[in-house]
Amino acid sequence: MVDSISATSVLGHRPLYLNSGYKDGSNQRRFGGRLFHNSDFLGFRVFSSQSRIKRGFNQITVSQTRALAMELTKEANSFSEEEKIPQNFDYSIDTKFGKIGLWPPLNKADNPSLHNPLLRQERMGCGWLGAIFEWEGVIIEDNSDIERRSWLVLSQEEGKSAPPTFILRRIEGMKNEQAISEVLCWSRDTAQVRRLAARKEEIYQSLQGGFFRLRSGSREFVTTLINYKIPTALVSTRPRKNLEMVIEAIGFEGYFSVIVTAEDVYRGKPDPEMFVYASQCLNFIPDRCIVFGNSNSTVEAAHDARMKCVAVASKHPIYELTAADLVVRNLDELSVVDLKNLADIDSPEFEPEVEMEEE
């Protein structure tokens, strides 16, 4: 009966059944190979072999405990000095923003090198923020029909099958190279992909005809941010040459501190690379940046970059953009107070460090 029981203890050893009590199949209790009825334990003493049973049980327990302790000691001493836990507890992790320590948390918002306490307090408060704008659909009117027609014309020129509607919606906001190689799968050759991307932009510019229209309230809102000394950045997946030509045509020069175009990043939306790079150029942490976009892919990219997002309902109804932190129809519906409320972060990471005086 004892050998037929297969059980394992927490330490990985078989339980001690020798000279110990257990129940057999008839619900009767056995000790050391002798059979006892349950009634023998109710109000009566077990015969004189009880002391021998206890002594044997204690010897076996002590011997197995010593053997287990010796095994654990050998296992602990088997680690090399390099594998042991350091005593300074300087743990660190690798992130895409660099290698930072786990503890104490790095206070990225504060800058102790600034000797002006008012400026340091402003950086710690909600007044320290940056604005990142998309170009089409936020600053100027976005014509998605021209974008769709340019892809269809390119597919006809290259002898490719016309992309369906859901594919055209998926590649909105992507870089042309990214859409051609990863979604449309027209080519994997780098030179061929660049040629197709440049040709697509030529078709788009010819269909656009050089006519661009500012959205209502966009110039006034950006001017207000400049008056409040809030840095602004502009991001777009268009080539820099085409974007600067349009900015000059509509008289928007000097409104943005940073301009990020297709040449500056590898991937477009929904990847947050454009917004992260813009925040780095503005010398701002992502938590203090607010993105202004007009699609759910922009909202997704901004949140992945740990930024707040204000959605402008230019081509989508408001109920489709509820994932954003704020939804407006035009930028002039916003105020600087709204932006500061969005940038207000209640986190221990942004609390100022207490400087101790040297004794």
Side-chain angles (χ1 to χ4, degrees), residues 204-273:
Y204 177 84
Q205 295 296 331
S206 62
L207 292 177
Q208 186 72 27
F211 296 98
F212 300 93
R213 184 162 57 94
L214 282 173
R215 283 187 55 82
S216 175
S218 59
R219 187 189 299 271
E220 292 78 9
F221 181 71
V222 177
T223 304
T224 302
L225 297 185
I226 295 176
N227 294 335
Y228 279 90
K229 298 181 180 180
I230 296 178
T232 57
L234 178 67
V235 297
S236 176
T237 54
R238 302 294 177 190
R240 181 175 294 274
K241 179 181 65 174
N242 298 340
L243 184 61
E244 290 179 349
M245 179 184 63
V246 177
I247 291 176
E248 183 180 358
I250 63 177
F252 236 87
E253 305 97 321
Y255 278 77
F256 301 102
S257 306
V258 174
I259 297 178
V260 178
T261 59
E263 293 85 355
D264 301 320
V265 294
Y266 179 72
R267 302 176 65 86
K269 296 181 303 182
D271 194 280
E273 182 182 358

Side-chain angles (χ1 to χ4, degrees), residues 114-167:
L114 298 176
H115 301 287
N116 189 345
L118 296 179
L119 184 57
R120 288 186 63 181
Q121 184 67 24
E122 182 184 1
R123 292 173 66 92
M124 300 299 295
C126 62
W128 188 57
L129 60 93
I132 301 176
F133 293 89
E134 282 191 324
W135 179 243
E136 296 175 350
V138 178
I139 303 298
I140 65 173
E141 293 289 349
D142 183 16
N143 194 338
S144 58
D145 183 64
I146 296 179
E147 183 75 14
R148 181 181 62 85
R149 288 166 55 191
S150 62
W151 284 112
L152 295 178
V153 172
L154 180 63
S155 64
Q156 292 178 359
E157 289 183 355
E158 299 295 328
K160 308 290 184 179
S161 59
T165 304
F166 74 94
I167 292 294

